[in-house]
Amino acid sequence: MIKLIVGLGNPGRQYEKTRHNAGFLFLDELVSKFGCDWVNEPRFQGVLSEYNASIGKVVLLKPETFMNRSGQSVGKIVRYYKIMPEEILVVHDELDLDVGAIRLKKGGGHAGHNGLKDIIAHLGSREFFRLRIGVGRPVTGKVVADYVLTSPSKSEWELINLAIDAGIACMDKLVTGDVAAVMNKLHA
């Protein structure tokens, strides 16, 4: 059962439409779908929203700490709400998936993703769920940081938006703990 959904990204207009903000974009769509509002919460170093799922309240968080310090915000909210790592879903961009692919997994390493690395450090655990939105890898010779901080092409955006829609369509099953059904649907 999921009690907290964290979308990873960087605050600020210059980052809004970049590959690295796939997690923020996902949560913005989710909030729009459920008719929720974002509230700035300085004590959690982020913006929060919540929606009532069939299991109860689910907290949504966009850390305002910038990607590499996402764990600070996540750690604060987890301690406040007494949320266990296995009750957390982190939505993020994934270089190791083709553009527009979407996959769910539990646990694992950070694969060089600094946002995940910081969350793992602050939680002291890797046992949270990850909803990974594929943004593909840069061409050989291009710096990864430059790649993830630029906007995808129009055709790539269409694929990323389809992935976001597919993930949102599975949220009810995911927050209630039907992980196998979500994996079957997203990984097909």
Side-chain angles (χ1 to χ4, degrees), residues 50-87:
E50 54 186 53
Y51 78 95
N52 291 316
S54 58
I55 57 148
K57 179 174 68 171
V58 177
V59 177
L60 309 174
L61 169 68
K62 292 193 311 185
E64 293 279 293
T65 53
F66 288 91
M67 182 68 77
N68 297 353
R69 304 252 187 247
S70 298
Q72 292 176 355
S73 178
V74 174
K76 287 179 180 187
I77 201 162
V78 163
R79 286 187 296 278
Y80 180 82
Y81 284 104
K82 297 174 178 46
I83 296 171
M84 301 300 297
E86 59 272 9
E87 298 172 322

Side-chain angles (χ1 to χ4, degrees), residues 8-10 20 63 65-72 74 90 92-95 109-122 128 130 144-146 148-149:
L8 297 186
N10 287 308
H20 223 18
T65 53
F66 288 91
M67 182 68 77
N68 297 353
R69 304 252 187 247
S70 298
Q72 292 176 355
V74 174
V90 177
H92 64 90
D93 59 304
E94 178 62 63
L95 291 168
H110 55 75
H113 194 292
N114 289 328
L116 291 176
K117 185 178 183 179
D118 199 55
I119 291 170
I120 290 167
H122 280 269
F128 52 90
R130 299 108 188 268
V144 170
D146 294 339
V148 296
L149 293 175

Side-chain angles (χ1 to χ4, degrees), residues 2 4-6 88-91 104 129-131 171 174:
I2 301 296
L4 171 65
I5 303 174
V6 179
I88 302 169
L89 172 67
V90 177
V91 185
L104 176 67
F129 288 92
R130 299 108 188 268
L131 188 61
M171 278 301 101
L174 185 54

Side-chain angles (χ1 to χ4, degrees), residues 1 104 170-184:
M1 172 162 79
L104 176 67
C170 295
M171 278 301 101
D172 287 337
K173 286 190 181 302
L174 185 54
V175 297
T176 59
D178 197 350
V179 174
V182 173
M183 286 183 167
N184 285 338

